[in-house]
Amino acid sequence: GENVGLHLPTLSVQEGDNSIINCAYSNSASDYFIWYKQESGKGPQFIIDIRSNMDKRQGQRVTVLLNKTVKHLSLQIAATQPGDSAVYFCAENGYYKLSFGAGTTVTVRA
Amino acid sequence: GAVVSQHPSRVICKSGTSVKIECRSLDFQATTMFWYRQFPKQSLMLMATSNEGSKATYEQGVEKDKFLINHASLTLSTLTVTSAHPEDSSFYICSARNRGNTEAFFGQGTRLTVV
């Protein structure tokens, strides 16, 4: 996407460890972000979202952090499981379009 | 979350023919639908945004006469790939949301192979 990008293309993590996936954006006016998980051959699946009036939001085993000062957000997955292996995208959900970053492939080692 | 159904999941067509892909929101009204194309190991590339009852807005470089989008109702949008060629082979994905700046939900994707 034109406004959203990811720092690392791949992440290998030991089962049970925590995963951290990073994302940078360039538009300081962006105010709504969504993290998606995409498994091979499937459409993206909503994980968690965050709006710019928040710095942190927690879900089940996942936490999203938003740092508006440096235009950065991250997705933390606690106790990573084999089923977490997938490609993760951050997306800027603007009023007119939903733009995706490059994606990070997460591989969980047993 | 809300359900978006995309059909077909896979289609193989001959070069020069047209293919229609349907995207339906099953339990909510989708005022906006997005169409994406995704090549292997790449991100989702937005092709166009369609709002119910109006013409689609295409991204730069996407041929509107080749990729026809219709969003005639609040629950259905279609993408027709006209005169398909092998280079159009890709994974096409639709997304729908109720209104601007709200959560968007995705269909299962359509794997198009043009032979």
Side-chain angles (χ1 to χ4, degrees):
Chain A
E2 56 200 36
N3 292 328
V4 185
L6 292 178
H7 290 310
L8 298 174
T10 62
L11 176 67
S12 180
V13 60
Q14 185 70 38
E15 181 179 357
D17 288 351
N18 297 335
S19 302
I20 298 177
I21 306 165
N22 296 303
C23 182
Y25 62 96
S26 57
N27 186 356
S28 58
S30 299
D31 61 359
Y32 183 25
F33 301 91
I34 303 176
W35 280 98
Y36 289 96
K37 173 186 179 182
Q38 186 181 29
E39 297 175 328
S40 181
K42 298 182 179 180
Q45 177 185 1
F46 174 91
I47 300 174
I48 193 169
D49 60 357
I50 190 167
R51 295 187 183 271
S52 60
N53 60 348
M54 302 177 72
D55 298 321
K56 178 180 179 179
R57 192 154 188 240
Q58 289 184 295
Q60 188 177 13
R61 283 202 306 119
V62 295
T63 301
V64 55
L65 299 177
L66 176 62
N67 186 329
K68 296 178 286 294
T69 302
V70 295
K71 291 183 283 192
H72 177 273
L73 66 160
S74 65
L75 177 70
Q76 300 177 7
I77 305 174
T80 311
Q81 302 170 357
D84 294 327
S85 293
V87 180
Y88 291 81
F89 295 97
C90 65
E92 182 212 4
N93 193 9
Y95 190 86
Y96 295 106
K97 62 175 68 175
L98 177 63
S99 303
F100 279 74
T104 294
T105 301
V106 173
T107 303
V108 181
R109 305 189 306 271
Chain B
V3 179
V4 175
S5 177
Q6 189 172 339
H7 179 80
S9 58
R10 290 179 177 271
V11 58
I12 300 173
C13 71
K14 292 184 177 180
S15 186
T17 62
S18 297
V19 174
K20 180 184 285 188
I21 302 169
E22 292 187 348
C23 182
R24 294 181 184 273
S25 57
L26 299 185
D27 51 4
F28 69 102
Q29 293 184 329
T31 58
T32 302
M33 287 190 173
F34 304 100
W35 287 96
Y36 297 86
R37 180 166 55 181
Q38 185 178 35
F39 293 105
K41 299 189 184 301
Q42 294 189 20
S43 186
L44 283 73
M45 294 172 47
L46 181 63
M47 300 175 65
T49 301
S50 72
N51 293 298
E52 185 267 338
S54 61
K55 291 183 178 180
T57 301
Y58 290 81
E59 294 298 297
Q60 190 173 8
V62 178
E63 300 175 58
K64 61 181 181 180
D65 294 331
K66 181 170 183 61
F67 299 100
L68 301 179
I69 293 173
N70 183 281
H71 190 169
S73 77
L74 285 171
T75 59
L76 174 64
S77 177
T78 61
L79 167 66
T80 301
V81 183
T82 62
S83 186
H85 292 285
E87 57 265 30
D88 298 324
S89 297
S90 188
F91 192 53
Y92 292 86
I93 312 170
C94 71
S95 176
R97 67 185 188 190
N98 180 249
R99 61 186 184 279
N101 217 15
T102 60
E103 186 177 336
F105 300 93
F106 282 81
Q108 308 95 315
T110 297
R111 174 72 60 191
L112 170 64
T113 304
V114 184
V115 297

